[in-house]
Each structure stands twice: as structure tokens, then as C-alpha cells.
Amino acid sequence: MPYHEFQCSKCIPERKQHAVVKGEGEDLTSALPLGYLNTIPGTISERGCAYCGAKHVIGTPMKDVIHLSHGPIGCTYDTWQTKRYISDNDNFQIKYTFATDMKEKHIVFGAEKQLKQSIIESFKACPHIKRMSIYQTCASALIGDDIEAVAQEVMEEMPDVDIFVCNSPGFGGPSQSGGHHKINIAWLNQKVGTVEPDIKSDYVINYVGEYNIQGDQEVMIDYFNRMGVQVLATFTGNGSYDDLCSMHGAHLNVLECARSAEYICNELRRRYGTPRLDIDGFGFEPLGTSLKKIALFFGIEERAQKIIDEETARWKPELDWYNVRLKDKKVCLWPGGSKLWHWAHVIHDEMGMDVVSVYTKFGHQGDMEKGIARCEQGALAIDDPNELEGLEAMENLQPDIILTGKRPGEVAKKIRVPYLNAHGYHNGPWKGWEGWVRFARDIYNAIYSPIHKLSLLDISKDEIPTDKGFETQRMISDADLPDEVRNSPDMREYTGKYNCLKDLRKKTYPPFEHNVLADAV
Amino acid sequence: MAESMQDKIAVLEDYIMKKCLWQFHSRTWDRKRQNENILGMTRSLLLEEPVSRKTPEERCYWVDAVTMAEAFRKRCPWLAGMSKEDIAVLMDGLFARIDHLTVSGSLNQELNDQHY
């Protein structure tokens, strides 16, 4: 096993099993780190908790819902600005955050009264919202508050509201992944099947494991609408509570982030016979293949092909422009979750970059299998790295850019490694053909920003030049390119709009095909 | 240039490992089922044998199999020159290799853990 030992973790020998280098001739039977379960005492883990996994990652992207934390106010950290899962109803779910504000007196005397009061106050404060999710925290779980009973009592008193309870306290799992599991199963047990599906098309899917980061879901919905495929529910980005209650009515579950949401797909398969199709959502070729697969399932391949042809013709010259300028740049792909395998191969194939390292903070070994399988030889794969290991890896690998979360990203900036936010994005959406070019543009802007020339100077000892630092990105990126590439008439910079969602939301589509005769029979 | 049967299997394996996701379901029993059905259907498609796609589940396997068979034909022009017997041997070898990588030889300790 080609384990990698960090100098800074020599005193914690168990950490050696959590990092591997994919060497020559090695495959998954010889190169796979441990993952998920083993947070080692003595090391500092940067993992999130199970409550965070349930509420902040999976639950809160539901748009027409009051998301109430039954616990201390601090647990509601990570709402707007840190998780940009936007919605087409004015971002209600990220504009407001609700908590019962548990204090020490509640730990002693119980907080059920406080909970009931908070639920009623919240509904009164937002009279247009009639749905609520309540998330248990460590504090309310430890004192044993019966959240279900309180929710039931309120629903009896307020018959027009509906409440979902998620019991996933912070200590309920080794990482946020435990919370993903819990909310999947809780939603299925409590809610799926309680609302009759509104079927409008002959081709109906649930889009699962998509969280609408900066509008990703809306980009994909556009393609599905253009194909005449009805998306009954999106679990859970931009998803509606009642639509998600009717997930049992779909013909197919299309799964994107497997480790956060495969549980619900597997159970829908077991209980309702709905099959699961795993897809890739990023990059020209993988996305095209994904649309083709969904179309093939329904026998409407030509509709997918039309979209692929149109979008490729529109955006390929722009992707090519970035490809020649990003070629051979080294990237540490440290997104923490599924994007390590969604992006590992396609950044290499379509942007020409070398993925020198992948990591996940809470991913399962299955996530690592996918990531390592898709990486090129020599990549360093790390499970649950701490800050010191991250620094050591970057110092050794010398990446040109890092794609990661905001905490390791800020650390990277301190050692002058440009960083893009892989969770909340910089200028997304990054899905779709246009989105992939926007992503390439963001990477280009990060790597070639002239600021790096100045930021590398140490103002404590270096003299700051007054005649330098006025180069443009283009002057830096094109310096070594041959003239025919630099002046190519076939390639161009990104020409899309800053807010591409504005037009998407105004778009109209032909009505779905629905075979009324088949219904009558 | 893929010359030996082993080289040819390696090319197909590389495609599956880099471009597909179906082989990495999270349970041993699920992986076995995926490998058997999707690779089995791909084998039939390459050998021009009929495949059943009556149930939604079969249709799903078939979708992945059709996509893969098309990709194999496009990426591996040498497939067109192979006899049906050789294609059968090739696909059997590929099945054994994928089963080894994802199931029997897998280092994934979570595959049989009931808590996952």
C-alpha cells in the first residue's frame, strides 16, 4: 500500500493510513486510504457534525420551508453567505434562520414549551410559509425533548401547517455524512407518499443529490424542460416541501451526489421499484452523456442530442480559449465532498489541468474510490486532513490553484496559492455547458490575477517596486503562447452574462407530452 | 496500441474507471448486481444478442450498457475486427477484472458494514 506519511503527523502514526499516492501500475486494490469512520484522537479533524450534514447540507436547500434548529443559537451558523443554495422564490431559506435559542435553564427544566412557542412564533412571523423542518441538536437530544410530540400538537392546533422532524444531533455520527443518511431516511419514512404526485409528462424524474449551488439546479431544469422531462422533485436544492412528499410518483431517480442522497434512491427502489441512474453533472462530455442516458431511458434520444449539439456549438470555442491557457496547471482538488470525483477527470480532460491531489473531509471510502479511479498517476489522496497536513501538502505539491472550502482556502491564500470556493462557488453556476466555461473563467482569473505578483513580495523586507504590477491577466497568460494560438479566430473568452439565471427564469417551454389515453386505460 | 487480450481489457477498464459511476455503488451485493447486469448486457450488445428491458430496472442497466458499448466501439476500433468468440473472452475478462477491483479485491472496508 503506497501510504503517504506527513512529516507533521509523524507523532500520529495512524494518520499514515489516511493518505495514499496513486503510483505507477497501482489501482484501487493497492491504493485506497481509510475514510469516514476513523477520526483519530490526537489529530485535529476539520469535519462538520451530523446536525450540520442534515440541516445545512441536505435539508435547508428546500425553499418554501421554515428551517428551525431546536438548540443554541450558535448551531445556526452556516446559513446565508456561507452556503449559496439559492432559490427561485427570493431565497427565503437563506434569508432567514430560526432557532429556539436554548439556554442553560432549558437544559435543566426542558425546552419543549420553548420549542412550541418558537414554532408558533415562526409561522406567525412568516404567514405565507406553511411548512417547517425542525432539526434536533446535541443540546435538545441530550435532554430528551420529544420534538415529534410538540410538532404533532402544533399541527393539531394549526391544521394548515405541516412539520417534518429530523433527529440528527451533532453527536449522531462521525461526520456530516451521518446526518445525510439520517435525513434521507427520515424524509422517506415521514413524508414520501403523503402528497399525491402531479404528473404532467410521460417522462417523470426525481433529481436527487443536487443542492442548487448558485443556480446549478435551475440550469439543469432548463435542459430537462427542453427535453420534455418533468422533474417531480429535486432533493433538495430549490426543492419544494410538497413536491418532495410526492417523490414516489417518478419513473426514474436521477442521482448526482451519491453519498449524500443515495439512501433515499435505494429506498425508493426497494419500496416503490423506481430505478436509480447515477449521472455526472459537470463538463461538456460527462453532462452530454448524462442527458443522453436519461433520454435513452425514455426513448427520446434525439431531444438530448439536439441540446448537446446546440450547447457545444455555442460554448466550445470559449472552453478551448481557457483550455490552452490552463493546460498543465497544477490543481489541488480539495472540495471536501462529491466534487472530488465529479471534477477529477473532467478538469484534466477538458481544461488540460493536472489534478495533483484530491481530498475529502467526510467522504466515505467509496468517494475516494471514485476520486482515485478518475485521477491521473501521482495524485496524493488524503482523507480528513488537518490544517498542518494541508499546508505541508501544498508546500510539497506547489499547486497553481486550489479548489476547496473557505477555511482551507483562506489558509492557502496565506501561502500564496490562489483559491476558488468549491462549495459556494465564486461566480457560478458552474453546471451546464455555459457553467463549465464560467468555471474555467473563474480558474483563469484566479491563476492569472496580477495581484499574485505583488502578493509574493514580503513588505517587511522587500522593496515595493513602483514601476511593476501593472500587467493584465492576458499579458501574463499569453506570454508563452504561439501567435497562432494567441490570435486564433476560433477561440474566444467567456461571453455569457454575469447573471445567467435571470433569463432562464423568464423562459417558457412547450407543454409536456402526456398520454391521456393511457391514463384512461 | 492494445495488442494482447490483457492490453485490450486494460483499455476498457480505464474507460469504466474514469467515465462511469455505476460500478461504485456502496454495498457489495449492489456492486455485484450492477457489474453482472451492466457488463452482461454490454457483452450481449457487442455480440449482437438480444437483451431484455421490460422492467424499469432492466431499462436502467440497458441505458448504461448501450452508452458503454457505443463508447467502446468508438474508442476501440480494434473491436470491429474481433470475432464474436474473442469479444466474449474479452468481456468475460473485463467482468472478472471489474469484479476484482470493485468487489473481491476492494480495500473498501465499508462495503459490508451494516452501519453504512
Side-chain angles (χ1 to χ4, degrees):
Chain A
M1 174 66 79
Y3 288 131
H4 174 81
E5 186 172 52
F6 287 98
Q7 290 297 317
C8 61
S9 295
K10 272 186 181 297
C11 53
I12 314 166
E14 300 95 320
R15 277 296 302 162
K16 198 176 169 185
Q17 294 178 75
H18 290 258
V20 300
V21 177
K22 184 182 180 183
E24 192 181 345
E26 278 163 354
D27 57 38
L28 292 172
T29 62
S30 50
L32 187 70
L34 290 180
Y36 183 48
L37 264 187
N38 314 57
T39 297
I40 299 162
T43 185
I44 297 170
S45 173
E46 293 186 355
R47 288 172 170 169
C49 70
Y51 154 82
C52 174
K55 180 182 186 283
H56 298 303
V57 184
I58 303 290
T60 321
M62 256 188 270
K63 65 182 174 184
D64 48 4
V65 182
I66 292 167
H67 296 279
L68 176 73
S69 294
H70 185 30
I73 194 83
C75 293
T76 59
Y77 172 75
D78 262 355
T79 46
W80 78 275
Q81 88 173 349
T82 66
K83 294 277 183 188
R84 290 192 277 182
Y85 30 56
I86 61 176
S87 66
D88 57 12
N89 68 339
D90 202 24
N91 303 317
F92 175 79
Q93 76 286 3
I94 48 174
K95 252 191 211 170
Y96 304 99
T97 189
F98 303 81
T100 52
D101 192 18
M102 280 179 78
K103 302 265 196 269
E104 280 177 60
K105 67 177 179 185
H106 299 118
I107 303 296
V108 178
F109 298 108
E112 289 179 0
K113 279 186 191 161
Q114 175 77 8
L115 173 63
K116 186 174 176 185
Q117 191 190 335
S118 299
I119 298 172
I120 293 168
E121 269 179 26
S122 304
F123 277 125
K124 283 189 177 160
C126 308
H128 66 296
I129 300 288
K130 300 292 181 192
R131 302 289 180 257
M132 177 181 282
S133 291
I134 303 176
Y135 300 89
Q136 195 182 36
T137 61
C138 296
S140 52
L142 281 167
I143 61 171
D145 275 357
D146 190 343
I147 301 176
E148 281 91 350
V150 176
Q152 194 56 44
E153 209 175 297
V154 174
M155 283 193 282
E156 281 162 18
E157 289 173 22
M158 301 174 76
D160 58 338
V161 307
D162 198 65
I163 301 172
F164 162 66
V165 176
C166 178
N167 289 315
S168 178
F171 57 72
S175 73
Q176 59 260 47
S177 186
H180 300 164
H181 193 163
K182 283 182 166 61
I183 194 172
N184 272 240
I185 300 303
W187 186 265
L188 192 96
N189 286 339
Q190 290 177 47
K191 291 295 156 205
V192 174
T194 59
V195 168
E196 199 52 37
D198 180 15
I199 305 294
K200 297 173 186 156
S201 167
D202 289 338
Y203 319 113
V204 184
I205 64 170
N206 291 318
Y207 187 24
V208 183
E210 160 56 56
Y211 304 102
N212 201 31
I213 306 293
Q214 285 214 295
D216 275 353
Q217 182 255 12
E218 294 175 70
V219 169
M220 294 296 283
I221 295 288
D222 174 53
Y223 301 139
F224 295 137
N225 282 338
R226 282 156 71 182
M227 285 164 63
V229 171
Q230 179 190 352
V231 178
L232 190 58
T234 302
F235 188 92
T236 55
N238 203 27
S240 153
Y241 186 99
D242 285 3
D243 289 346
L244 281 155
C245 293
S246 68
M247 290 179 84
H248 59 291
H251 304 137
L252 176 69
N253 286 314
V254 173
L255 175 61
E256 198 158 311
C257 179
R259 255 325 188 165
S260 70
E262 68 174 341
Y263 311 98
I264 200 162
C265 283
N266 289 348
E267 281 302 301
L268 286 166
R269 184 172 65 181
R270 191 175 70 82
R271 298 184 197 188
Y272 299 99
T274 323
R276 158 188 166 179
L277 188 67
D278 293 34
I279 63 159
D280 273 298
F282 293 93
F284 282 25
E285 192 200 331
L287 178 56
T289 306
S290 298
L291 293 188
K292 267 200 270 190
K293 279 193 200 177
I294 296 163
L296 203 55
F297 182 87
F298 292 117
I300 50 172
E301 299 93 294
E302 71 291 348
R303 298 185 193 179
Q305 195 57 54
K306 189 166 178 281
I307 294 171
I308 294 164
D309 294 343
E310 283 172 10
E311 295 287 333
T312 306
R314 168 69 182 86
W315 297 107
K316 185 74 170 39
E318 303 188 8
L319 183 64
D320 289 344
W321 193 93
Y322 291 101
N323 176 302
V324 294
R325 287 160 177 87
L326 296 177
K327 202 166 167 36
D328 300 328
K329 292 291 176 193
K330 291 194 288 182
V331 54
C332 275
L333 181 50
W334 292 0
S338 68
K339 290 184 178 82
L340 89 96
W341 43 271
H342 275 308
W343 292 346
H345 63 315
V346 74
I347 278 184
H348 179 79
D349 292 350
E350 298 190 357
M351 295 185 195
M353 301 179 77
D354 285 334
V355 177
V356 292
S357 178
V358 287
Y359 92 12
T360 170
K361 290 201 170 177
F362 60 89
H364 293 247
Q365 283 189 291
D367 289 297
M368 273 297 185
E369 281 184 302
K370 290 175 210 168
I372 291 171
R374 289 180 158 190
C375 275
E376 298 301 312
Q377 201 176 289
L380 169 65
I382 322 166
D383 165 65
D384 188 24
N386 58 45
E387 189 171 314
L388 290 177
E389 290 176 349
L391 279 168
E392 187 179 317
M394 280 187 281
E395 274 159 10
N396 289 336
L397 296 165
Q398 296 287 309
D400 294 293
I401 188 168
I402 180 168
L403 309 179
T404 189
K406 62 190 165 64
R407 281 170 291 184
E410 293 301 322
V411 174
K413 276 194 209 166
K414 288 181 184 172
I415 56 166
R416 280 86 175 195
V417 175
Y419 134 73
L420 279 189
N421 188 338
H423 300 161
Y425 300 172
H426 269 60
N427 298 291
W430 286 346
K431 261 197 185 142
W433 277 263
E434 178 178 2
W436 195 241
V437 178
R438 291 165 76 96
F439 186 25
R441 189 267 316 257
D442 279 359
I443 296 175
Y444 171 85
N445 283 346
I447 292 178
Y448 290 110
S449 170
I451 192 76
H452 302 310
K453 291 212 168 178
L454 291 174
S455 73
L456 283 170
L457 296 172
D458 182 348
I459 57 170
S460 66
K461 60 182 175 63
D462 296 334
E463 192 177 335
I464 305 301
T466 52
D467 60 339
K468 292 196 178 73
F470 298 101
E471 291 165 291
T472 63
Q473 289 163 305
R474 192 76 184 267
M475 286 160 74
I476 305 168
S477 69
D478 290 10
D480 297 324
L481 290 179
D483 280 348
E484 63 273 21
V485 174
R486 198 183 302 169
N487 305 317
S488 166
D490 303 323
M491 297 188 275
R492 59 175 185 261
E493 283 184 80
Y494 177 67
T495 57
K497 289 180 180 170
Y498 177 73
N499 183 354
C500 65
L501 296 179
K502 221 172 169 183
D503 291 339
L504 272 188
R505 287 178 183 169
K506 285 188 217 149
K507 253 178 108 168
T508 54
Y509 302 89
F512 291 119
E513 274 174 38
H514 188 41
N515 190 341
V516 182
L517 202 61
D519 279 354
V521 176
Chain B
M1 181 70 185
E3 294 198 344
S4 69
M5 191 59 87
Q6 214 168 355
D7 291 342
K8 288 182 168 117
I9 290 170
V11 173
L12 305 185
E13 174 197 318
D14 186 60
Y15 173 84
I16 293 172
M17 286 293 135
K18 293 245 171 69
K19 306 282 184 184
C20 301
L21 293 168
W22 51 259
Q23 72 277 24
F24 288 125
H25 279 207
S26 56
R27 291 287 177 281
T28 288
W29 63 268
D30 213 1
R31 287 188 179 192
K32 279 184 178 168
R33 188 177 62 166
Q34 292 284 103
N35 291 353
E36 194 180 320
N37 283 287
I38 295 170
L39 287 169
M41 278 195 192
T42 311
R43 184 185 194 271
S44 300
L45 290 170
L46 292 174
L47 294 173
E48 293 166 348
E49 292 169 353
V51 295
S52 169
R53 48 181 155 133
K54 286 180 197 149
T55 67
E57 192 149 10
E58 283 175 342
R59 226 177 147 73
C60 242
Y61 297 137
W62 173 78
V63 162
D64 275 315
V66 168
T67 310
M68 199 155 61
E70 271 177 20
F72 285 176
R73 286 198 185 102
K74 198 171 158 189
R75 283 157 192 265
C76 311
W78 38 260
L79 260 176
M82 287 176 79
S83 68
K84 286 193 173 180
E85 290 73 23
D86 282 348
I87 290 176
V89 172
L90 175 78
M91 290 305 292
D92 291 344
L94 179 64
F95 177 79
R97 180 73 187 143
I98 297 296
D99 237 29
H100 172 66
L101 286 174
T102 61
V103 181
S104 58
S106 174
L107 299 169
N108 185 343
Q109 296 180 13
E110 300 169 2
L111 285 177
N112 301 306
D113 189 321
Q114 59 171 333
H115 298 301
Y116 293 92

